[in-house]
Amino acid sequence: MTSKFWAAAVAAFSLTTALPAFAQQGVKIGILNDQSGVYADYGGKWSFEAAKMAVEEFGGSVLGQKIEVVSADHQNKPDLGVSIARRWYEVENVDMITELTTSSVALAVHDLSKQMKKIDIVVGAATSRLSGDACQPYGFHWAYDTRALAYGTGGALVKAGGDTWFFMTADYAFGHALEKDTGDFVTQQGGKVVGAVRIPLNTADFSSFLLQAQSSKAKIIGLANAGLDTTNSIKQAAEFGIVKGGQKLAGLLLTAAEVHGLGLEAAQGLVLTEGYYWDRDARSRNFGEKFFKRTGRMPNMIQAGTYSATLQYLKAVKAAGTKDTEAVAKKLKELPVDDDFAQGGKVLENGRMVHDLYLFEVKKPSESKKPWDYYKELAVVPGDKAFPTAKESGCPLTK
């Protein structure tokens, strides 16, 4: 064979071996969350669908390479979540992990992502530590956090006269953070926390905890839990006549998914903060109606937030011209967030995406005019009030 042939063959071989990381793999996004347990409706397979919607809207490819979305169930176990994330990063060439319901799992994967220089965008987990003392250069936090929920719901109820609180708290990182952040706002505004009880995740019987809350005589019982734990505690509170007795329940992390599961008869009158509601305006309706056609249900802020986080990651890859972690992380902090989930959003140095949230009251059954017509808006919660500045967050990156 001629030298020209060998030169061409070597060049062709070099080209195919020089480009495997991008040309052969494309861009891979992982949805890691609870798909079978207490948070299966809260995020679950519906977040996977939302991420796929973002990819389809983006066009299915970026920089000429195919985009793939994979998912797994971490079962709310940090060790399992880290094991899946490590395999995804090391073996399956996943570039970014998102959703990450359950704060203990999110914190563990957040730390792994830092070690392995991979991007994660947390949507489903609430703890404000993710953009606070546990912040890291490649970690981002979307949709909401415990501090924003505390400011929105806790602040509003104290101003309305709910100045004594008792907390029913999920006994892990998320619940502790939500109780602390809300309690801080209550006391700052002249209110008082009269007690709290810690409750294991996925508890079936809340009766003893509800009796403690009832006997506290607190005006507000703050439910620092989520998913099925919230719906079960609300249902059982009704059996004890707690609301009829004059105490008010505050769903500190309650979304349209849980309201739907409860039904308006049980959920009516609850005050909550969400970062998205499908029927709020034209942009939210656009996503909500497309999601409904695909899944038969309306999205909550976790599912809409997963759509937004996935879409913004792809925009950052395109803007960076590469999927290199450092370059993409830089673009994520530079690009404005403007989509059907959030408009006028911005990402701070600590990875916190700042956007407006909304204070809602759940409608009475007589006020609801159509399926999924659940909320009446009480107030806009401005993002720059709900979330601290990067320097105020305690994130070491800002020092």
Side-chain angles (χ1 to χ4, degrees), residues 29-32 51 96-100 120-123 306 309-310:
I29 295 167
I31 305 300
L32 184 57
M96 186 273 280
I97 295 176
T98 186
E99 221 275 42
L100 289 166
D120 69 63
I121 306 179
V122 178
V123 182
T306 301
T310 304

Side-chain angles (χ1 to χ4, degrees), residues 38 184 202 218 294 338:
V38 66
D184 287 348
N202 207 13
R294 188 182 186 112
D338 183 37

